[in-house]
Amino acid sequence: MKAYIFPGQGAQFTGMGLDLYEKFPLAQELFEQANSILGFSITDVMFEGTAEELKQTKVTQPAIFLHSVILAKVLGEDFKPEMVAGHSLGEFSALVASNALSFEDGLKLVATRAMAMQKACEQQESTMAAVLGLENEVVEEVCNSIGGIVVAANYNCPGQIVISGEVEAVNKACDILKEKGAKRALVLPVGGAFHSPLMEPAREELAKAIEETTFNTPICPVYQNVVAKAVTDPTEIKDNLVAQLTGAVKWTQSVQQMIADGGDEFVEVGPGKVLQGLMRKIDRSVAASGASFE
């Protein structure tokens, strides 16, 4: 079965999407529609902006979403997903690509999510850290043993987990994890504690927007981050999308479940090759490539 996977924050690069804009009238139309929906020219930042400008959350999230969704749309008849999944933000791209959400509604929700997360980050100083070379259980136990807020936030591939929470708690967890034998426990240059309880204010704001948005039954199962299994019911999809802001991204578990359910060819749709790299670490026997319109 053919699985399409969609990247999350961090996959952006300067000049992203310009080739799509120049080559496909449909892409041009969708990018212009996006400028109008967002109320600013995101294409200027994507095509000509600096890496620093692209890093602003209000730009990054919609930019990656647009690159992924528009690439899927220009593939036309070649885009025939039998299962889809997206890493964190990428879940919105996966939902639009599988027709569970319209392009316009997907973009509006991503913009709302980005701004809500930005605000939550500004309310309390927080961070994330990558932990390499330890079992999931060890990382979880250490997080649970610390007084402050720190949780396992992203299960990216076996031996690579990202933890998230209050600065002091994350630093303390890193020290203990190194003592427990972590190859690395490195604080990341991020704006805040994504996928942790500290995103609760953002979750409430996004929940309201999701509740007011129409979701349809997707054309294929969507493997959602918080449950790591196939979902097709629109109500369930909404609930899982809301829970994702404060819950963990179970990427390893999602991909393993997709493989167990018959996924044997994985195609990454969007900027970068991050997910293809993770695929090789999750299961080397499965084919992984990037979508191309060439």
Side-chain angles (χ1 to χ4, degrees):
M1 287 173 78
K2 199 163 189 178
Y4 286 89
I5 49 178
F6 297 82
Q9 209 158 332
Q12 70 274 9
F13 63 90
T14 53
M16 63 190 284
L18 181 59
D19 51 352
L20 292 167
Y21 187 93
E22 289 176 341
K23 187 157 185 169
F24 299 98
L26 173 62
Q28 201 169 342
E29 188 187 314
L30 291 169
F31 274 123
E32 292 302 346
Q33 193 185 340
N35 286 339
S36 162
I37 290 167
L38 294 170
F40 70 96
S41 182
I42 192 163
T43 50
D44 284 355
V45 191
M46 287 174 72
F47 303 163
E48 296 157 24
T50 62
E52 203 51 45
E53 287 170 319
L54 261 181
K55 251 169 62 178
Q56 305 168 72
T57 299
K58 74 164 190 175
V59 173
T60 315
Q61 294 195 25
I64 292 166
F65 166 86
L66 287 170
H67 190 287
S68 297
V69 169
I70 292 172
L71 176 54
K73 298 248 186 222
V74 302
L75 292 174
E77 286 299 303
D78 292 340
F79 183 74
K80 290 195 177 77
E82 292 172 277
M83 43 175 67
V84 294
H87 190 288
S88 186
L89 158 74
E91 194 158 281
F92 288 83
S93 310
L95 288 167
V96 173
S98 62
N99 293 352
L101 261 179
S102 72
F103 172 76
E104 190 175 337
D105 285 342
L107 180 57
K108 284 178 181 172
L109 287 178
V110 166
T112 300
R113 179 183 189 263
M115 297 310 283
M117 288 170 79
Q118 185 67 45
K119 273 193 279 185
C121 292
E122 286 161 8
Q123 279 179 26
Q124 184 174 1
E125 204 189 346
S126 56
T127 194
M128 301 175 86
V131 180
L132 306 183
L134 283 180
E135 297 292 319
N136 294 354
E137 294 73 26
V138 177
V139 178
E140 289 159 0
E141 274 169 28
V142 169
C143 287
N144 291 337
S145 74
I146 287 167
I149 295 173
V150 57
V151 294
N154 292 8
Y155 295 82
N156 285 335
C157 64
Q160 189 194 118
I161 292 186
V162 176
I163 60 173
S164 180
E166 294 163 344
V167 174
E168 199 179 323
V170 169
N171 286 333
K172 193 172 175 188
C174 285
D175 291 341
I176 298 170
L177 290 163
K178 283 179 201 160
E179 286 167 20
K180 296 264 183 193
K183 285 182 192 160
R184 286 171 82 183
L186 184 73
V187 173
L188 299 170
V190 293
F194 305 141
H195 303 292
S196 84
L198 295 177
M199 283 291 121
E200 182 56 33
R203 190 192 69 80
E204 288 168 13
E205 200 172 322
L206 185 64
K208 188 173 175 293
I210 284 173
E211 200 38 61
E212 292 164 359
T213 303
T214 303
F215 281 66
N216 309 305
T217 303
I219 55 172
C220 65
V222 181
Y223 287 71
Q224 288 190 279
N225 293 175
V226 294
V227 290
K229 62 182 172 69
V231 186
T232 52
D233 177 69
T235 307
E236 265 182 76
I237 287 173
K238 282 179 155 185
D239 292 344
N240 292 335
L241 210 48
V242 173
Q244 193 222 70
L245 263 190
T246 51
V249 173
K250 297 174 181 170
W251 188 251
T252 306
Q253 299 89 324
S254 297
V255 169
Q256 286 169 339
Q257 190 58 54
M258 291 167 93
I259 294 167
D261 292 348
D264 59 0
E265 187 188 344
F266 283 72
V267 181
E268 181 172 7
V269 188
K273 295 182 176 182
V274 172
L275 299 183
Q276 292 166 67
L278 295 181
M279 280 300 307
R280 284 191 279 279
K281 291 172 180 161
I282 294 168
D283 191 331
R284 208 167 248 291
S285 70
V286 177
S289 62
S292 169
F293 55 79
E294 298 303 337

